[in-house]
Amino acid sequence: VKLSSEMAKPNTTHVRGLPVVPENVLRKRKTTAEIKAGREERLAKERANRKPQQGKLFKKASAFIKEYRQADRSGRRFNREAKMKNPSSSEDIIGKLVLAVRIKGMTTADPKTKRVLKALRLHRIDTAAFVKGDSATAKQLRLVAPYIVYGVPELKTVRELVLKRGFTDKGQKRQALSSNQLVEDHLGEKGMVCLEDLIHELYTVGPNYKAANDFIMPFKLHAPKPEDKPAGITDRPRNGGPSANINALVGIMN
């Protein structure tokens, strides 16, 4: 059997002295080049996205280290405070009304300290709040002592704070305690029908103290001024903790 001339013709391997590349090899090379180009493009995008992310990760790590150091310092201080047995300052406030004033920011505070300050309703610097003196409160006050000053207020201090700086948010909006009707509307069922009833319940830490204290918002005070020299205090105390001058301090901040 004779083969046709086309079938009998051998495959061409060279054209003008150059080797001829088979078509299947060319397709494979094209596919490989496309895969490589796609891979390079993907890697370039990943590198571009990785640069800002590295900065974020570094900042996040730095924040963690700062938080750990703060917690370590506070932990050592908490341990020292916990080892104190029956400190006199704690015994002095048991069963009494305590007035706490925030004197420092929370930049250097660890999360536990921040939680205690929020529990005491001392969210901002130069704010004051009443707390009931008991063993649990005494422990909280000692833990956040570097950030606050506290002491037992006089009746005059309590009255002036309530009448001048007293506000409530129990209504639809923040309202000043400027009328007896406001007290009666919200605390009448607790036996308090006027501002003097409210002040008496707070100062004596009466049976409805919690309702009375929840009714009043934390007091917003102003920083002591240099011209307030007669009181003997011209600035916030540098060191927190119990203070025998709490009435004088609040008097010039009110």
Side-chain angles (χ1 to χ4, degrees), residues 95-97 130 152-159 197-206 209:
K96 300 178 182 179
L97 179 68
F130 294 128
V152 178
E154 298 174 349
L155 177 59
K156 177 184 176 182
T157 302
V158 176
R159 179 179 285 110
D197 288 343
L198 176 64
I199 294 169
H200 178 267
E201 190 71 20
L202 290 169
Y203 182 70
T204 60
V205 193
Y209 164 80

Side-chain angles (χ1 to χ4, degrees), residues 115-116 119-120 131 135-145 148:
R115 288 195 297 269
V116 175
L120 296 173
V131 292
S135 57
T137 300
K139 182 179 179 181
Q140 289 182 323
L141 293 174
R142 290 200 307 271
L143 293 180
V144 297
I148 66 171

